[in-house]
Amino acid sequence: MKYFQQCQSIEEAKKHYRQLLLKHHPDHAGKEGEAVTKEIISQFNAFLKNFMSNSFNSYYQDKEWKPDPDSVTPFQDILEKIIDLECEIEIIGFWIYCFNSKEVKEQLKELGFWFSIKHKAWVFSGGKKRKITSRETLDEIRASKGSHKVQKEEKEKEKSPLKIAV
């Protein structure tokens, strides 16, 4: 069964994904729900990968410079907007953190960033800030979710692509 065949956007797919998991989760649907849940998750991940790939190809179709598709992140367009700002940019899990960014806080605010007092950084998650309290430190989050520092790679006669340092 193709669960995400009718979805036209990531937001629509996320909403459908949550509804399906609530309905088929093993806690609600029993043992047969476990196999269905695994199938839903794999199809959702395939949908996201396909959607991002299609979005990437259509966006860069008529552009003379194209980044490496393997290094493109879901945050590519927001990263292109902030890469020249004077701050330290780090992707931690599914969030963008901008450290040492006091001088550019208004620009970050306009792009949808919010300030995390605990982490002393401006954070972008792609949506509105939600009240989530975490007892994990930033280093613990980095260890569990993964972390990549974003740097601008300098190249002559070419637009500067984004490079994610690992």
Side-chain angles (χ1 to χ4, degrees), residues 95 114 116 118-119 125 128-136 141:
W95 302 277
W114 47 271
S116 168
K118 180 178 179 180
H119 300 129
S125 63
K128 290 183 177 180
K129 179 181 179 183
R130 296 184 300 174
K131 281 233 177 211
I132 299 174
T133 54
S134 171
R135 296 182 184 202
E136 294 180 303
I141 296 171

Side-chain angles (χ1 to χ4, degrees), residues 4-166:
F4 301 97
Q5 191 171 0
Q6 303 299 323
C7 296
Q8 299 297 316
S9 69
I10 291 179
E11 289 77 24
E12 187 180 336
K14 283 181 182 179
K15 185 177 180 180
H16 189 59
Y17 174 76
R18 287 185 195 107
Q19 291 170 347
L20 287 169
L21 285 184
L22 282 173
K23 182 179 177 183
H24 296 288
H25 193 275
D27 290 345
H28 300 286
K31 291 193 182 235
E32 62 270 356
E34 188 173 342
V36 175
T37 300
K38 287 180 183 178
E39 181 66 23
I40 291 169
I41 292 169
S42 68
Q43 285 187 22
F44 179 69
N45 289 334
F47 171 83
L48 289 178
K49 185 176 182 180
N50 185 34
F51 190 88
M52 295 300 284
S53 175
N54 290 340
S55 297
F56 173 81
N57 291 336
S58 64
Y59 179 78
Y60 286 102
Q61 187 174 12
D62 60 340
K63 308 239 184 310
E64 58 181 72
W65 172 79
K66 295 177 180 153
D68 177 17
D70 294 332
S71 67
V72 173
T73 69
F75 299 120
Q76 191 68 32
D77 30 334
I78 199 78
L79 286 172
E80 289 175 356
K81 293 176 184 174
I82 65 171
I83 194 68
D84 291 324
L85 299 179
E86 294 296 321
C87 60
E88 297 172 24
I89 304 167
E90 186 174 358
I91 299 174
I92 303 173
F94 295 104
W95 302 277
I96 298 176
Y97 283 75
C98 292
F99 299 97
N100 301 326
S101 53
K102 188 174 184 178
E103 297 81 21
V104 294
K105 72 179 185 177
E106 292 303 320
Q107 293 160 305
L108 293 172
K109 217 186 273 189
E110 287 175 19
L111 293 171
F113 282 76
W114 47 271
F115 190 73
S116 168
I117 295 171
K118 180 178 179 180
H119 300 129
K120 296 181 179 81
W122 284 89
V123 181
F124 181 83
S125 63
K128 290 183 177 180
K129 179 181 179 183
R130 296 184 300 174
K131 281 233 177 211
I132 299 174
T133 54
S134 171
R135 296 182 184 202
E136 294 180 303
T137 66
L138 203 50
D139 288 332
E140 291 170 338
I141 296 171
R142 282 182 180 115
S144 66
K145 308 281 189 211
S147 168
H148 305 284
K149 292 196 182 213
V150 178
Q151 301 171 344
K152 188 173 181 181
E153 187 179 279
E154 299 297 330
K155 288 189 176 181
E156 294 178 15
K157 298 180 185 176
E158 208 177 324
K159 285 188 178 181
S160 300
L162 300 176
K163 178 181 178 185
I164 299 176
V166 193

